[in-house]
């Protein structure tokens, strides 16, 4: 039971127990304070029951929440409890989530009860400018058998979020703690009935829980010819700098399945471009981007099409 609760909250074991203690302290303090206020107001068994009930409900609705936030703040858990309170306020209709960046709470908790989507819903995980995400979205617009249903991002200021907004695609902003030590946001992905995941400039390693839930259904694009110039720390301009420093006369892109090791999943597609003498990392990056934009969308399409065969 504790394990499930911990997963639901998306916290580490240590943080889980701190939260547990805070809830305990809050409950005890609220009860003691209610008793103190009752006697301070001179209420006893003979007092009108409605006043006593109103006091208790008021303490539960407001006092409890304030005390919870206070303990949360004192024990370094403000972020968790503030989010908890905001959720409560959203449910009560007092607080509205910002549009564009939404953390959707699964509305239909049991995905088995949902009507299956005739188009394969794809999630794109991206944390950068999102030019690849944009190309894929445009390429698949109006497709008969697949659609980009969700953009998952870990940076609140990433360009890909505005691209999603322009195209009316829901976004999910994720946090490290829950992604790596919680349920990896599987509940949300299931809520959107996601069947395929495309990493397009997503720098975090994909947790095992997600790889297990989507076997051979997660693909990534890498801006070099794997197996060379891949692995931990090899991303963005670092890749192009390494290629040039090694004196390579060609580079390219690799689209591959994602497994539990960085950039080591089975390759699906590669395309090459020359590295001219005197090319700067920035110039090489431009050539690579051009290859990505040209081949990534159709590779996504072909790979997803195989799912239905
Ligand atoms: C691409 O070069 C991709 O290969 C790498 O990250 C970059 C993302 O670029 N994994 P963008 O955000 O799609 O423009």
């Amino acid at each position: 039971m504790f394990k499930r609760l911990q997963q639901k909250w998306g916290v580490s074991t240590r943080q889980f127990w701190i939260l547990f203690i805070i809830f305990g302290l809050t409950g005890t303090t609220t009860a003691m304070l209610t008793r103190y206020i009752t006697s301070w107001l001179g209420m006893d068994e003979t007092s009108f029951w409605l006043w006593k009930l109103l006091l208790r409900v008021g303490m539960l609705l407001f006092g409890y929440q304030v005390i919870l936030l206070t303990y949360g703040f004192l024990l370094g858990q403000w972020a968790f409890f503030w989010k908890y309170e905001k959720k409560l306020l959203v449910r009560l209709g007092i607080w509205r989530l910002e549009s564009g960046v939404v953390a959707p709470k699964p509305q239909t908790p049991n995905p088995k009860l949902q009507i299956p989507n005739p188009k394969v819903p794809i999630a794109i995980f991206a944390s950068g400018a999102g030019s690849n995400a944009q190309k894929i979205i445009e390429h698949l617009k109006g497709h008969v058998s697949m659609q980009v249903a969700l953009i998952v991002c870990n940076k609140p200021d990433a360009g890909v979020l505005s691209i999603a907004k322009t195209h009316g695609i829901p976004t999910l902003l994720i946090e490290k703690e829950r992604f790596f030590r919680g349920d990896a946001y599987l509940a949300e992905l299931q809520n959107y009935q996601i069947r395929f995941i495309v990493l397009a400039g997503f720098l975090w390693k994909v947790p095992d829980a997600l790889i297990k839930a989507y076997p051979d259904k997660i693909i990534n694009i890498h801006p070099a010819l794997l197996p060379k110039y891949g692995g931990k720390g090899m991303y963005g301009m670092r890749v192009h700098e390494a290629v040039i420093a090694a004196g390579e006369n060609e580079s390219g892109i690799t689209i591959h399945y994602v497994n539990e090791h960085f950039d080591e999943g089975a390759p699906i597609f590669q395309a090459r471009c020359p590295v001219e003498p005197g090319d700067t990392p920035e110039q090489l990056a431009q050539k690579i981007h051009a290859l990505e934009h040209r081949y990534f969308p159709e590779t996504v399409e072909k790979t997803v099409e195989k799912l239905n065969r």
Side-chain angles (χ1 to χ4, degrees):
M1 183 190 121
F2 287 150
K3 214 70 228 146
R4 280 188 58 189
L5 200 57
Q6 185 187 344
Q7 278 189 353
K8 192 172 161 222
W9 289 348
V11 295
S12 63
T13 309
R14 184 179 159 273
Q15 195 188 0
F16 176 78
W17 287 113
I18 297 176
L19 300 176
F20 210 74
I21 291 168
I22 294 175
F23 276 116
L25 285 173
T26 305
T28 319
T29 312
T30 312
M32 281 168 62
L33 213 62
T34 311
R35 217 172 306 145
Y36 177 77
I37 296 174
T38 312
S39 80
W40 182 68
L41 291 172
M43 288 180 180
D44 56 25
E45 314 77 65
T46 59
S47 311
F48 185 42
W49 64 270
L50 186 62
W51 301 136
K52 286 193 278 185
L53 184 73
L54 281 177
L55 176 70
R56 283 193 189 131
V57 171
M59 276 307 283
L60 220 71
L61 280 181
F62 303 105
Y64 181 89
Q65 312 304 333
V66 175
I67 297 167
L68 195 63
L69 278 174
T70 312
Y71 276 126
F73 175 73
L74 293 175
L75 293 174
Q77 301 300 324
W78 170 263
F80 178 90
F81 285 105
W82 182 228
K83 212 161 101 187
Y84 176 92
E85 293 297 342
K86 272 201 285 194
K87 267 191 207 164
L88 198 75
L89 294 174
V90 168
R91 257 182 236 149
L92 294 173
I94 300 169
W95 187 284
R96 277 194 57 193
L97 284 170
E98 284 168 53
S99 61
V101 182
V102 208
K105 182 89 194 125
Q107 307 231 317
T108 322
N110 185 354
K112 286 186 194 126
L113 298 178
Q114 289 176 269
I115 302 159
N117 190 338
K119 294 186 184 191
V120 174
I122 300 169
I124 299 181
F125 283 44
S127 329
S131 68
N132 279 287
Q134 179 161 10
K135 292 286 173 191
I136 298 168
I137 293 166
E138 285 166 1
H139 183 79
L140 297 182
K141 206 144 227 174
H143 200 286
V144 285
S145 58
M146 61 192 80
Q147 71 180 130
V148 178
L150 182 66
I151 299 289
V152 178
C153 180
N154 63 299
K155 287 198 186 140
D157 55 349
V160 70
L161 293 172
S162 346
I163 293 172
K165 202 170 177 185
T166 310
H167 290 274
I169 298 173
T171 54
L172 173 65
L173 199 56
I174 59 170
E175 288 162 2
K176 217 169 204 165
E177 187 67 19
R178 180 165 166 207
F179 193 56
F180 291 107
R181 280 173 279 279
D183 71 344
Y185 290 87
L186 273 174
E188 277 83 352
L189 295 174
Q190 282 166 2
N191 188 44
Y192 282 99
Q193 304 181 5
I194 297 304
R195 288 183 54 205
F196 196 82
I197 295 173
V198 176
L199 310 184
F202 184 72
L203 299 185
W204 286 353
K205 192 168 182 292
V206 178
D208 287 359
L210 211 54
I211 292 169
K212 281 203 186 93
Y214 289 91
D216 293 331
K217 290 181 190 72
I218 308 178
I219 66 170
N220 177 45
I221 188 157
H222 186 77
L225 295 169
L226 292 174
K228 285 166 108 180
Y229 308 107
K232 198 168 189 281
M234 266 295 169
Y235 59 85
M237 220 39 97
R238 292 185 191 191
V239 180
H240 310 309
E241 280 161 6
V243 169
I244 290 171
E248 299 281 1
N249 56 18
E250 67 169 7
S251 188
I253 59 167
T254 306
I255 299 165
H256 63 96
Y257 287 105
V258 172
N259 66 12
E260 45 291 315
H261 307 290
F262 257 126
D263 301 327
E264 286 185 21
I268 301 168
F269 176 88
Q270 285 194 314
R272 290 156 196 274
C273 64
V275 181
E276 311 287 355
D279 266 357
T280 63
E282 289 73 21
Q283 285 165 328
L284 180 54
Q286 274 183 15
K287 291 186 200 176
I288 297 290
H289 250 117
L291 282 183
E292 292 180 335
H293 296 166
R294 179 158 167 218
Y295 294 110
F296 200 17
E298 65 184 53
T299 308
V300 169
E301 185 186 3
K302 282 183 191 153
T303 316
V304 174
E305 264 165 1
K306 280 192 205 151
L307 286 182
N308 287 334
R309 279 190 207 141

